[in-house]
Amino acid sequence: MVKLKDIAERAGVSMATVSRVLKNDIHFSVTESTKEKIIEIAEELGYERRGEEEREVVIALPKGSVGVFLLYNEELEIADNYYQIIRVNIKNELSKAGFVVREIFLNMLGSYINHIENFQGIILVGHMGILAKTKELLTVIREQKIPAVCADFELENEDVMADCVVNDFEAVVAKALQRFWDNNYEEIGYAGTYGIQIHGRLRGDKRYLGFKKLMEKRGTFKEEYLWLANNNRIQDGYEVGKKMLQQKKKLPRAILAENDSVAIGLMKALKEGNISVPKDIALIGCNDIPASAFVAPPLTTVKLSDELIGQMSARMLIERIITGREGGIKIVVPDKLVIRDSCGTKSKL
């Protein structure tokens, strides 16, 4: 007996796409060439439309399994709960929809790459730098034509039509800098990471790139006010701060940190060096982790929509599995400046 799966494999599309084409679903968007190909293959294989079989496929969709590939090791969630919040919200949304969720951390990736076909869809969480090192995973996603969503990054590989849910980090940086400018701070530094390796090339973190772009546009970017480390944990921020003080050079009036962890570590080092925040140096972080409100002084930060990234990544995947949509969609989530004591005087606005 010919099944929808047989047609889908021959046509190189999902079973959901085959099902909706053969049912003449007028609300389903698919190219004419794909539609004709599916119908031609169905006729060639002698497929007989069976209402019961089609209903079975549709009912089974929300009861399948989804692989959530976490492109980092578990230790990262201990140091910073940003990805943990994304992961938990993805799992909650998928579980509510009836999916079985398999969470796969980086150290387990190799064991699952060759079994991706067992998932109805996958969500990739992390950043492009790690994914670029696992070209095999991208190859399998492309060849298997499995619905995929990238949470917190977007693919540069146009052959893989994945959805993505991302932050607008230039807008994040713009909010922080505008706060400094409103306080008449023009000498502004940056503390963060060198960036990530993608296909053997170092790519700067988008927050740093946004900072450099906006500061150069204003004519106030200075290399000597740039402090970078390999990672963005609290310890890295602390070590950056110690290095900053050891240089015994003029310090900027304000510093934007890549994330709250770097800002908190930096704040500790500055305090040990008798540098007052915000009296001597104003400071703004990024992400609004729980500890940010409880350090002294409380940290001004730009809150990222980590919960929404998780929720929307799951919802987009569910929609894509059900509709069989082939083209990728990009969603940019909002952010918000949370003003506390570390950034200095109140805004003029």
Side-chain angles (χ1 to χ4, degrees):
M1 178 186 297
V2 180
K3 295 184 178 181
L4 296 180
K5 182 179 180 182
D6 301 323
I7 301 172
E9 289 178 351
R10 285 278 300 274
V13 297
S14 67
M15 286 194 296
T17 298
V18 173
S19 174
R20 298 190 69 173
V21 167
L22 295 180
K23 286 191 294 184
N24 295 317
D25 189 338
I26 62 173
H27 301 292
F28 181 55
S29 177
V30 65
T31 63
E32 281 300 317
S33 60
T34 299
K35 183 176 180 180
E36 290 174 3
K37 184 178 182 180
I38 290 171
I39 294 173
E40 182 180 325
I41 292 172
E43 292 176 351
E44 179 185 331
L45 295 177
Y47 174 75
E48 296 181 8
R49 302 189 187 188
R50 296 173 180 269
E52 187 63 31
E53 181 178 349
E54 291 187 355
R55 283 196 299 274
E56 181 182 348
V57 172
V58 175
I59 293 171
L61 282 173
K63 295 182 181 179
S65 6
V66 169
V68 179
F69 287 79
L70 306 158
L71 306 177
Y72 55 87
N73 291 317
E74 295 177 76
E75 292 79 8
L76 180 62
E77 291 191 358
I78 298 173
D80 188 332
N81 69 346
Y82 176 73
Y83 285 129
Q84 180 185 45
I85 293 172
I86 292 176
R87 174 177 62 82
V88 169
N89 278 274
I90 287 172
K91 185 173 183 179
N92 289 343
E93 287 293 318
L94 291 172
S95 297
K96 283 192 298 185
F99 286 93
V100 175
V101 181
R102 171 69 69 179
E103 296 174 321
I104 302 147
F105 283 94
L106 184 61
N107 59 343
M108 302 163 55
L109 188 61
S111 303
Y112 284 87
I113 286 180
N114 295 323
H115 302 286
I116 285 183
E117 69 275 5
N118 295 329
F119 299 120
Q120 286 188 280
I122 65 171
I123 296 179
L124 305 166
V125 184
H127 60 76
M128 184 64 194
I130 295 295
L131 187 59
K133 296 178 182 178
T134 57
K135 294 181 180 179
E136 186 180 356
L137 177 58
L138 285 175
T139 300
V140 174
I141 294 172
R142 182 179 65 251
E143 292 178 349
Q144 297 288 339
K145 298 185 182 298
I146 294 175
V149 178
C150 300
D152 197 43
F153 73 100
E154 55 185 305
L155 289 177
E156 296 183 356
N157 188 330
E158 296 180 356
D159 293 334
V160 180
M161 301 297 290
D163 295 336
C164 64
V165 186
V166 296
N167 291 290
D168 181 349
F169 280 117
E170 186 170 325
V172 167
V173 170
K175 285 183 173 66
L177 290 179
Q178 189 60 56
R179 175 66 188 188
F180 286 147
W181 293 331
D182 288 342
N183 291 343
N184 294 319
Y185 303 152
E186 293 293 335
E187 293 192 323
I188 304 170
Y190 181 88
T193 59
Y194 291 104
I196 56 177
Q197 288 284 345
I198 300 179
H199 301 305
R201 296 173 55 193
L202 182 66
R203 303 284 183 90
D205 182 89
K206 290 186 177 181
R207 281 157 289 197
Y208 164 65
L209 295 176
F211 172 83
K212 188 172 186 290
K213 175 182 176 181
L214 294 172
M215 290 292 286
E216 285 180 338
K217 184 177 181 181
R218 197 173 177 89
T220 54
F221 177 77
K222 295 183 178 181
E223 290 282 352
E224 60 265 34
Y225 288 163
L226 182 63
W227 292 275
L228 301 176
N230 290 323
N231 293 297
N232 55 12
R233 300 162 298 190
I234 290 178
Q235 182 64 30
D236 300 298
Y238 177 75
E239 291 173 359
V240 160
K242 299 297 283 188
K243 179 181 178 181
M244 185 185 303
L245 296 174
Q246 289 168 1
Q247 291 175 341
K248 296 183 179 180
K249 295 180 180 179
K250 181 183 177 183
L251 298 176
R253 182 60 186 86
I255 296 176
L256 172 63
E258 182 174 305
N259 65 12
D260 293 346
S261 296
V262 170
I264 291 171
L266 177 58
M267 193 183 296
K268 175 177 170 58
L270 293 175
K271 185 176 181 180
E272 291 177 358
N274 295 316
I275 304 293
S276 173
V277 175
K279 184 179 178 181
D280 299 318
I281 294 181
L283 187 61
I284 295 180
C286 179
N287 194 13
D288 194 28
I289 64 175
S292 299
F294 299 99
V295 293
L299 181 66
T300 294
T301 182
V302 182
K303 181 176 178 58
L304 304 179
S305 299
D306 41 13
E307 293 183 6
L308 188 58
I309 287 177
Q311 293 166 358
M312 293 308 300
S313 295
R315 292 173 187 174
M316 288 179 74
L317 182 66
I318 294 169
E319 178 269 330
R320 192 163 185 172
I321 290 173
I322 292 175
T323 65
R325 174 172 53 80
E326 296 180 358
I329 292 175
K330 176 180 178 179
I331 290 181
V332 179
V333 297
D335 52 73
K336 178 182 179 183
L337 180 66
V338 180
I339 299 175
R340 300 192 180 103
D341 296 342
S342 71
C343 65
T345 59
K346 292 183 178 179
S347 172
K348 297 176 184 178
L349 299 181

